[in-house]
C-alpha cells in the first residue's frame, strides 16, 4: 500500500468516526500534492457538507466544475448547497445543468422539486415529484412531498390521497401517518386524525412531535384525561424530555389543576432552563394561583429572552393588569397595537386597562372597535 493510500484510508476512517477536523487535514495534505484531483476535492467538499459547513464546501465543488463543467455529482452537490443557503435560482440553474449534462437520475428531479417547494412554486414542485414517482413508483418520500405541498396549498383531500399511496408501499411510515393526521384535522375529520396519530405513534413510539399534535387534538376535543394519560405514559419512557413536561402541564392546566401544571412546567425548566414555553406556563399558572410576584418575574424573563414576541407581550400586559401595574401594562399593550392595530386580544387588554383606570367612555370606544372588527 502506498503512502497516499495509507493517508486516504486514515482520512476515510476519520470521516466514519466523525473526526472531521482530522479528515479535513489529511485530505488537504493530499491535495497539496494533487491539487486538481476531482476525487479528493469531492471528498473534502462532501466532508464539509456533512459537518454543516456549506460555505467551506462550495469552493471545492466549484473547483471541480471549473475544470470539468459537466461533473454531475459536483453540480448536484452545489444545487443542494444553494438550496440550503436559500439561493434558490442558483440551485435550479446548476441542477438543470446536471440534467443537460446527460444525467438521467430521478434524484436530480427530486432535488429540483424540493427547491421549488422551498420557493413556494408548488405547481412546479409537484410536477417534478410526480416525475420521480413515474420513474420509481415506490419512492415513498416523493409521495410525502407531494402530499405536504398539496396540504400547504390547502388541498387536503388530494394530500390525503398522496399519503395513502405512500402508505400502500410502506404501511408503517410514521411521517406519512403524521402528515395525513394533520390533513384530516384540517378537514375536521377528528376521528380519522386520531387514528392516524395513533398509527404514527405505533410506528415510532415516543415521537414528541406526534405526541404534541395528538395531545392538542385531544385537548381541543375535550379528551383531557386521555391526553394526560398519553403524555404521562410517554414521560415514563423518557423522563428527561422538557417538551413532554410542558405538554403534561398543558393537559393539567386544561383540567384546572393549576398546582399540578405549575409543578410540570417547573420540571421542564429543570431539564431546559431557558425553555420559553415552560417559562410562559409558569407565569400563567403562578397568576392563577395568586402568586403575582412570581408571575411577574417569569413574564419579565420572557420579555428579556424574546422582546419582539407579541404573544409574550400580551401575556405580560395581562399579568401586569392583574397586579395593578397599569402604566407598565399600557406600555406593552401600545407596543403590540403599534405593530398589530387590529389585534383583538390587545384591544381587549386595552379595554380592560381603561376599566381598571375608571375611564369607562374610552373602554366603551375600544369595545365598539372590537365589535366593528369582529361582530
Amino acid at each position: 500500500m502506498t503512502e497516499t493510500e495509507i493517508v486516504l484510508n486514515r482520512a476515510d476512517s476519520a470521516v466514519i468516526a466523525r473526526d472531521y477536523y482530522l479528515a479535513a487535514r489529511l485530505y488537504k495534505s493530499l491535495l497539496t500534492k494533487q491539487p486538481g484531483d476531482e476525487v479528493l476535492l469531492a471528498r473534502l467538499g462532501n466532508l464539509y457538507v456533512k459537518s454543516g459547513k456549506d460555505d467551506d464546501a462550495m469552493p471545492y465543488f466549484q473547483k471541480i466544475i471549473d475544470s470539468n463543467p459537466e461533473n454531475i455529482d459536483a453540480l448536484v452537490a452545489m444545487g443542494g448547497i444553494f438550496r440550503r443557503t436559500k439561493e434558490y435560482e442558483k440551485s435550479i440553474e446548476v441542477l438543470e445543468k446536471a440534467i443537460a449534462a446527460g444525467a438521467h437520475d430521478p434524484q436530480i428531479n427530486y432535488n429540483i422539486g424540493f427547491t421549488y417547494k422551498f420557493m413556494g412554486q408548488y405547481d412546479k414542485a409537484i410536477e417534478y415529484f410526480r416525475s420521480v414517482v413515474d420513474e420509481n413508483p415506490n419512492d415513498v418520500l416523493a409521495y410525502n412531498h407531494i402530499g405536504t405541498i398539496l396540504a400547504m396549498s390547502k388541498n387536503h383531500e388530494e394530500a390525503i390521497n398522496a399519503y395513502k399511496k405512500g402508505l400502500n408501499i410502506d404501511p408503517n411510515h410514521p411521517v406519512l401517518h403524521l402528515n395525513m393526521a394533520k390533513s384530516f384535522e384540517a378537514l375536521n375529520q377528528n376521528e380519522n386524525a386520531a387514528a392516524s396519530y395513533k398509527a404514527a405513534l405505533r410506528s415510532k413510539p415516543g415521537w414528541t412531535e406526534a405526541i404534541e399534535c395528538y395531545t392538542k387534538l385531544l385537548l381541543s376535543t375535550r379528551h383531557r384525561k386521555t391526553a394526560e394519560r398519553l403524555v404521562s405514559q410517554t414521560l415514563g419512557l423518557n423522563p428527561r424530555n422538557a417538551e413532554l413536561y410542558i405538554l403534561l402541564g398543558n393537559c393539567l392546566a386544561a383540567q384546572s389543576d393549576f398546582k399540578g401544571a405549575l409543578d410540570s412546567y417547573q420540571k421542564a425548566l429543570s431539564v431546559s432552563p431557558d425553555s420559553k414555553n415552560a417559562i410562559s406556563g409558569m407565569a400563567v399558572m403562578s397568576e392563577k394561583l395568586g402568586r403575582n410576584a412570581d408571575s411577574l418575574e417569569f413574564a419579565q424573563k420572557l420579555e428579556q429572552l424574546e422582546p419582539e414576541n407579541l404573544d409574550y407581550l400580551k401575556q405580560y400586559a395581562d399579568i401586569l393588569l392583574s397586579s395593578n401595574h397599569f402604566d407598565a401594562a399600557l406600555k406593552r399593550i401600545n407596543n403590540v397595537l403599534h405593530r398589530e392595530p387590529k389585534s383583538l386580544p390587545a384591544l381587549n387588554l386595552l379595554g380592560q386597562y381603561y376599566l381598571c383606570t375608571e375611564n369607562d367612555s374610552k373602554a366603551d370606544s375600544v369595545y365598539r372597535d372590537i365589535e366593528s372588527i369582529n361582530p
Side-chain angles (χ1 to χ4, degrees), residues 46-148:
N46 288 324
L47 166 67
Y48 282 124
V49 168
K50 285 182 181 178
S51 58
K53 297 179 179 179
D54 283 333
D55 289 341
D56 290 333
M58 182 61 83
Y60 295 100
F61 293 118
Q62 186 62 60
K63 192 169 183 178
I64 294 172
I65 296 303
D66 289 342
S67 61
N68 182 4
E70 296 188 349
N71 186 300
I72 292 167
D73 290 338
L75 288 168
V76 172
M78 290 173 71
I81 292 172
F82 282 132
R83 181 175 62 248
R84 289 189 293 276
T85 55
K86 300 183 180 180
E87 298 173 87
Y88 300 127
E89 298 291 347
K90 290 182 180 179
S91 176
I92 297 293
E93 181 183 345
V94 296
L95 290 169
E96 287 180 342
K97 284 181 181 179
I99 293 175
H104 184 70
D105 183 350
Q107 286 303 309
I108 297 176
N109 285 341
Y110 187 101
N111 276 281
I112 295 176
F114 206 39
T115 302
Y116 276 127
K117 180 180 178 181
F118 274 95
M119 294 172 75
Q121 297 190 29
Y122 299 140
D123 289 342
K124 286 185 177 180
I126 287 178
E127 177 186 338
Y128 276 95
F129 282 120
R130 283 182 172 151
S131 74
V132 171
V133 297
D134 287 342
E135 290 275 347
N136 179 12
N138 293 322
D139 193 318
V140 173
L141 288 180
Y143 286 115
N144 181 61
H145 282 298
I146 291 170
T148 56

Side-chain angles (χ1 to χ4, degrees), residues 266-286:
Q266 183 63 61
K267 288 176 182 176
L269 284 177
S270 70
V271 176
S272 180
D274 289 327
S275 169
K276 290 185 277 292
N277 286 333
I279 296 169
S280 176
M282 293 288 289
V284 174
M285 292 307 105
S286 295

Side-chain angles (χ1 to χ4, degrees), residues 159-234:
I160 288 167
N161 288 333
Y163 298 136
K164 285 180 177 178
K165 288 178 182 178
L167 288 168
N168 285 337
I169 301 161
D170 183 356
N172 297 314
H173 199 289
V175 175
L176 287 168
H177 281 299
L178 176 64
N179 287 334
M180 188 160 69
K182 292 177 181 178
S183 282
F184 276 132
E185 196 171 347
L187 294 170
N188 293 317
Q189 297 182 26
N190 291 334
E191 288 187 11
N192 287 333
S196 292
Y197 283 132
K198 289 177 184 177
L201 289 168
R202 280 196 301 272
S203 300
K204 189 175 179 181
W207 187 12
T208 303
E209 182 182 357
I211 292 168
E212 181 176 356
C213 293
Y214 187 24
T215 299
K216 287 179 180 177
L217 174 65
L218 290 169
L219 291 176
S220 71
T221 54
R222 300 185 180 276
H223 291 84
R224 294 162 181 165
K225 277 293 181 184
T226 304
E228 181 186 344
R229 283 195 298 271
L230 170 66
V231 179
S232 296
Q233 288 167 3
T234 312

Side-chain angles (χ1 to χ4, degrees), residues 282-299:
M282 293 288 289
V284 174
M285 292 307 105
S286 295
E287 182 186 20
K288 296 284 188 185
L289 292 166
R291 303 175 185 178
N292 289 347
D294 290 343
S295 182
L296 285 170
E297 182 181 342
F298 288 119

